[in-house]
């Protein structure tokens, strides 16, 4: 098996140290991650800084065209990327799995390519003209998680380079291979140094967060690590976008139809086996239809095939890694011990890989980790409520605020409840839908700043006010 290499200044750069990458479906080694050194990080920063001097001066049209060419080369290599992603991440090829993720990466890239940041005229009168210009920031450090590695890398890289910055991307050590390949492909259509990839242990992310040559960090990962990034970035006052953890609540109102919403609830919670930042992670159901929702969800769960990601039949795959599997299992065990009723699943699968079944736990409430913390895996707590005001209060009783949803037939009531939720995105009769034009980000401790659309693009710029 040929070991993968870093990409610095358009060249493959080998390392002296490697770390095995596992297939979560089997536990077998599928590749070797190069462990980059701090000297190689310095080389990458120097290459990105040199490339920035030229890239920032290219026309907007040239940068848009480069992004279009990136979309085309990803599309031409989509099947290779999807297989690599499934091998290291575990998600199935089909359903909302690897092929879906690559299609998403292409769609975001194409949309962002067409965005423009024109000069805004603030005043134009006898006293003179005042204009607002958007300038690129410099070298951007992109740090990504293991759940949607290719799509999130594109969410970071494409707006950064579209706005005239250069990038060093550092993927999670659990899923480095698909990002390395993605960056190799990008380098077939970009000048050297515009996009570089460094891989290695978590310490590499820490080194990027405090590196004096990096002007902005865009980070997607857990809230705990986001705090560390913010602290490490403080001495150099880096610009930051932090997309962090969530504990999204969904509220099922008394007028909802359990059979009609079961499929949407299921996929809102279990997309990517629950390993999605804005997945439905706590479900509050009015007591009048609690049993109906539990039955409909259990019936739907029975139809979903969980298996090896490479099987064309699988609709969900394993948990991505063993530590995450242990968190999910321990949260379900605690919920059971506290009186939670397991409706479906509830025990880790025998056999190889990090499989945990889709699990539904009824009759739990605040005070258990499955409700209070982000489980980030395939286990959904279902909490009964009597008064809508209590459901809203419980949904908002969290330090997190990424997404939330409301389910019911009276859309105006649902809208009232939705807008009282403290979160960056709310959905009615669905959960977790995102698109390239709509800003996405967390409030409270779920993040700082937003991604996507014009608002997201602006995060990769600084403002220069020109008085002329
Ligand atoms: P994580 O925080 O453990 O790791 C994320 C990245 O940070 C990895 O690349 C890791 O190597 C790096 N890292 C680790 N320690 C670091 C440090 N001290 N300084 C800098 N970088 C460091 O997160 P994860 O387990 O990979 O991902 C799961 C988490 O990500 C969940 O909490 C999930 O909700 C969150 N997430 C959020 C979004 C969003 O858009 N809000 C999207 C996806 C995932």
């Amino acid at each position: 098996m040929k070991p993968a290499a870093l990409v610095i200044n358009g060249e493959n750069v080998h390392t002296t140290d490697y770390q095995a990458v596992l297939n979560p479906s089997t536990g077998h080694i599928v590749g070797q991650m190069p462990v980059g050194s701090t000297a190689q990080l310095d080389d990458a920063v120097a290459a990105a800084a040199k490339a920035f001097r030229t890239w920032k001066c290219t026309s907007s049209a040239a940068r848009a065209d480069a992004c279009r060419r990136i979309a085309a080369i990803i599309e031409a290599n989509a099947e290779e990327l999807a297989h690599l992603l499934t091998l290291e991440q575990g998600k199935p090829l089909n359903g909302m799995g690897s092929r879906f993720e690559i299609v998403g990466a292409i769609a975001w890239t194409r949309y962002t390519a067409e965005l423009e940041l024109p000069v805004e005229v603030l005043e134009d009168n006898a006293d003179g003209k005042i204009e607002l210009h958007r300038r690129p920031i410099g070298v951007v450090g992109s740090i990504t998680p293991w759940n949607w590695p290719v799509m999130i890398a594109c969410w970071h890289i494409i707006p950064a380079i579209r706005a005239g910055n250069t990038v060093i991307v550092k993927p999670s050590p659990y899923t480095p291979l698909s990002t390395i390949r993605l960056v190799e492909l990008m380098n077939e259509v970009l000048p050297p140094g515009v996009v570089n990839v460094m891989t290695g242990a978590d310490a590499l992310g820490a080194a990027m967060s405090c590196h004096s040559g990096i002007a902005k960090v865009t980070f997607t990962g857990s809230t705990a690590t986001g705090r560390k990034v913010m602290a490490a970035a403080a001495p150099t006052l880096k610009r930051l976008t932090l997309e962090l953890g969530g504990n999204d609540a969904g509220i099922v109102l008394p007028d909802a139809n359990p059979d009609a919403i079961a499929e949407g609830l299921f996929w809102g919670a279990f997309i990517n086996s629950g390993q999605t930042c804005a997945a439905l992670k706590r479900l509050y159901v009015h007591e009048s239809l609690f049993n109906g929702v539990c039955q409909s969800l259990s019936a739907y769960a029975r139809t979903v095939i969980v298996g090896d990601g490479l099987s064309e039949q699988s609709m969900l795959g394993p948990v991505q890694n063993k530590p995450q599997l242990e968190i999910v299992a321990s949260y379900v065990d605690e919920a059971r011990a506290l009186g939670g009723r397991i409706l479906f699943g509830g025990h880790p699968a025998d056999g190889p890989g990090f499989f945990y079944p889709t699990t539904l736990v009824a009759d739990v409430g605040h005070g258990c980790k499955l409700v209070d913390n982000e489980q980030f895996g395939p286990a959904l707590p279902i909490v009964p409520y009597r008064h809508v005001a209590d459901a809203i209060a419980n949904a908002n009783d969290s330090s997190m605020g990424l997404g939330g949803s409301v389910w019911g037939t009276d859309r105006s009531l649902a809208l009232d409840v939705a807008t009282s939720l403290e979160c960056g995105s709310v959905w009615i009769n669905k959960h977790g839908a995102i698109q390239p034009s709509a800003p996405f980000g967390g409030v409270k401790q779920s993040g700082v700043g937003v991604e996507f659309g014009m608002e997201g693009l602006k995060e990769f710029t600084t403002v220069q006010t020109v008085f002329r």
Side-chain angles (χ1 to χ4, degrees), residues 143-148 152 155 170-173 200-203 205-206 209 219-223 225-226 228-229 243-246 276-277 281 324 374 376 402 440 446 451:
I143 303 174
T144 60
W146 45 256
N147 58 345
W148 295 90
I152 292 175
W155 291 350
K170 189 211 82 66
S172 165
D202 292 346
S209 306
F219 170 85
T220 303
S222 63
T223 296
T225 309
K228 291 184 194 165
V229 170
E243 294 289 356
L244 308 178
T276 296
C277 51
K281 295 186 176 132
Q324 194 62 42
E374 182 185 39
F376 214 62
L402 195 55
F440 174 79
S446 283
E451 297 184 287

Side-chain angles (χ1 to χ4, degrees), residues 383-406:
V383 185
Y385 74 85
R386 180 162 295 172
H387 303 293
V388 174
D390 294 339
I392 295 171
N394 280 329
N396 288 338
D397 184 17
S398 169
S399 61
M400 300 203 171
L402 195 55
S405 59
V406 182

Side-chain angles (χ1 to χ4, degrees), residues 45-109:
V45 173
K50 181 162 173 274
F52 178 63
R53 292 200 282 277
T54 314
W55 188 247
K56 70 177 177 185
C57 299
T58 54
S59 68
S60 176
R63 295 201 296 262
D65 198 47
C67 294
R68 286 182 208 116
R69 277 182 280 134
I70 288 173
I73 201 162
I74 298 174
E75 196 164 46
N77 294 274
E79 202 53 24
E80 180 201 347
L81 283 167
H83 270 84
L84 200 49
L85 184 54
T86 288
L87 275 178
E88 67 176 357
Q89 206 286 333
K91 65 180 65 184
L93 290 166
N94 291 322
M96 283 182 275
S98 294
R99 290 177 179 135
F100 170 83
E101 179 168 349
I102 304 301
V103 166
I106 297 164
W108 256 266
T109 301

Side-chain angles (χ1 to χ4, degrees), residues 75-315:
E75 196 164 46
N77 294 274
E79 202 53 24
E80 180 201 347
L81 283 167
H83 270 84
L84 200 49
L85 184 54
T86 288
L87 275 178
E88 67 176 357
Q89 206 286 333
K91 65 180 65 184
L93 290 166
N94 291 322
M96 283 182 275
S98 294
R99 290 177 179 135
F100 170 83
E101 179 168 349
I102 304 301
V103 166
I106 297 164
W108 256 266
T109 301
R110 290 225 159 98
Y111 182 87
T112 308
E114 305 312 322
L115 292 177
E116 293 287 346
L117 286 168
V119 170
E120 288 173 50
V121 178
L122 305 177
E123 296 233 357
D124 188 5
N125 54 35
D127 295 332
K129 196 170 181 184
I130 307 175
E131 294 173 345
L132 189 156
H133 294 234
R134 294 270 168 187
R135 303 280 183 218
I137 305 172
V139 177
V140 171
S142 148
I143 303 174
T144 60
W146 45 256
N147 58 345
W148 295 90
V150 173
M151 194 147 66
I152 292 175
C154 286
W155 291 350
H156 289 184
I157 294 168
I158 301 301
I161 65 171
R162 178 67 188 87
N165 305 280
T166 55
V167 178
I168 298 157
V169 58
K170 189 211 82 66
S172 165
Y174 288 113
T175 53
L177 304 176
S178 50
T179 305
I180 289 176
R181 186 67 191 123
L182 176 74
V183 173
E184 284 176 352
L185 291 169
M186 288 181 175
N187 272 272
E188 289 185 23
V189 298
L190 287 173
V194 173
V195 179
N196 309 272
V197 58
M198 290 291 301
T199 54
D202 292 346
L204 194 57
M208 286 168 67
S209 306
C210 62
H211 200 291
S212 59
I214 292 180
K216 172 178 172 110
V217 170
T218 180
F219 170 85
T220 303
S222 63
T223 296
T225 309
R227 285 190 198 103
K228 291 184 194 165
V229 170
M230 192 178 231
T236 47
L237 286 175
K238 290 186 198 339
R239 272 59 189 158
L240 291 175
T241 300
L242 304 176
E243 294 289 356
L244 308 178
N247 194 9
D248 291 13
I251 298 178
V252 178
L253 296 173
D255 67 354
N257 174 346
D259 289 338
I261 62 176
E263 183 173 0
L265 286 174
F266 182 88
W267 289 110
F270 292 101
I271 179 172
N272 203 26
S273 299
Q275 303 165 116
T276 296
C277 51
L280 176 55
K281 295 186 176 132
R282 312 173 266 160
L283 184 61
Y284 296 91
V285 180
H286 190 260
E287 58 184 11
S288 63
L289 36 70
F290 190 79
N291 287 338
V293 169
C294 289
Q295 279 162 14
S296 299
L297 264 176
S298 305
Y300 191 85
R302 260 179 236 117
T303 68
V304 175
I305 300 171
V306 181
D308 189 315
L310 288 179
S311 159
E312 297 281 348
Q313 276 70 47
S314 297
M315 295 162 83

